[in-house]
Amino acid sequence: MKYQQNIEQEWLIDEQENSLNIVVTTKVSSSKLVELLAHFAAEYGTSNKDIYVQVSEVQFSKDNEVTADKWKKEISQHVFILDALKTKDLPIFSRNHLKEGFTVHSIQELTPQEVDFIQKGENVWFPTRYHPLCYETIADNSLILRRHDELIGWCVVLPSTNQLLMYDNLFVKERYQSLGRSLSLFWHAISIQLKRTQMKYLTFVVDGENEKMLKVLQNKVHVPLVDYQKVTVFKLMKTD
């Protein structure tokens, strides 16, 4: 592992047999990111290895989407830390998005039949990453969503620090997916967090392809926002 820096930025370089992985350890602005990618392309563009660069941007804005010559975006994730009380009071939670027949319950109320249903659903109606039973420890405000007697979603929350809960897994079955139902699960979990714990903050990650959720957050999240970073991995495209 190599460590390098210039006047403003620092990065780590992990060189493997077939790849060179660069992690920029300081947060960057969008304009600085373009400069950095140009620098790495010039420095390592002739290498026969795959070149990856991981960066964390500091601005949350729909206008800061970076496109850079010679680079392909591999992964993009938005990481938010919010004030729980201010989040619960956002206008987007003022409506009841769950119509008759939809109910929210503690994840502890899963029946043996529902556990079996989840096991059979893995890689069929939800991917492995979203398996709600794979966690060793979960917070008390982890929830499930039912429509009548059918399990259709969940919100899994993890203890992170003594002041912070991580909302790690918010899922609604594809047939029933709607932003309103996801927000309802989120709101119920935050409400329980505030009633039952002393934890003031929450964190969660939104995939860069989840445009609907990002659009909502772009317009609403600034009041409770405590910290934010956008983590992106770029791959240098090889030229013939």
Side-chain angles (χ1 to χ4, degrees), residues 10-121:
E10 300 175 352
W11 55 84
L12 298 172
I13 299 177
D14 181 18
E15 188 167 0
Q16 302 293 327
E17 182 178 354
N18 298 314
S19 65
L20 194 69
N21 305 293
I22 303 167
V23 178
V24 179
T25 56
T26 48
K27 292 183 180 181
V28 300
S29 64
S30 300
S31 58
K32 181 57 67 175
L33 173 56
V34 173
E35 294 179 24
L36 272 175
L37 291 176
H39 166 78
F40 293 135
E43 184 79 11
Y44 303 107
T46 58
S47 172
N48 59 359
K49 297 184 177 184
D50 290 329
I51 310 299
Y52 296 92
V53 175
Q54 178 180 310
V55 294
S56 297
E57 298 173 64
V58 296
Q59 300 158 312
F60 179 42
S61 169
K62 64 182 179 181
D63 300 321
N64 76 329
E65 193 65 26
V66 169
T67 56
D69 293 338
K70 303 180 181 179
W71 294 92
K72 176 186 176 183
K73 188 180 299 181
E74 293 282 290
I75 301 171
S76 177
Q77 294 186 320
H78 300 254
V79 184
F80 299 86
I81 296 180
L82 304 180
D83 180 300
L85 181 59
K86 293 179 180 178
T87 303
K88 177 179 175 290
D89 292 336
L90 286 174
I92 55 174
F93 296 125
S94 62
R95 290 176 52 204
N96 180 12
H97 297 282
L98 295 181
K99 296 180 180 180
E100 184 177 355
F102 292 90
T103 53
V104 177
H105 309 265
S106 168
I107 202 169
Q108 305 298 333
E109 297 178 28
L110 282 170
T111 67
Q113 292 78 13
E114 287 173 331
V115 170
D116 182 63
F117 182 61
I118 290 171
Q119 299 286 7
K120 291 179 179 177

Side-chain angles (χ1 to χ4, degrees), residues 81-82 84 160-165 193 198-202:
I81 296 180
L82 304 180
S160 184
T161 70
N162 60 355
Q163 287 292 316
L164 183 69
L165 285 177
Q193 172 182 340
Q198 299 298 315
M199 297 186 183
K200 298 179 180 179
Y201 305 105
L202 61 95

Side-chain angles (χ1 to χ4, degrees), residues 98 102 125-126 130 145 151-155 169-186:
L98 295 181
F102 292 90
W125 57 274
F126 70 92
Y130 296 102
L145 178 65
L151 174 69
I152 65 168
W154 47 75
C155 177
N169 187 336
L170 182 61
F171 175 82
V172 177
K173 194 174 179 180
E174 184 175 7
R175 177 182 171 188
Y176 298 101
Q177 280 178 3
S178 76
L179 185 58
R181 290 174 189 140
S182 297
L183 289 173
S184 293
L185 265 175
F186 192 31

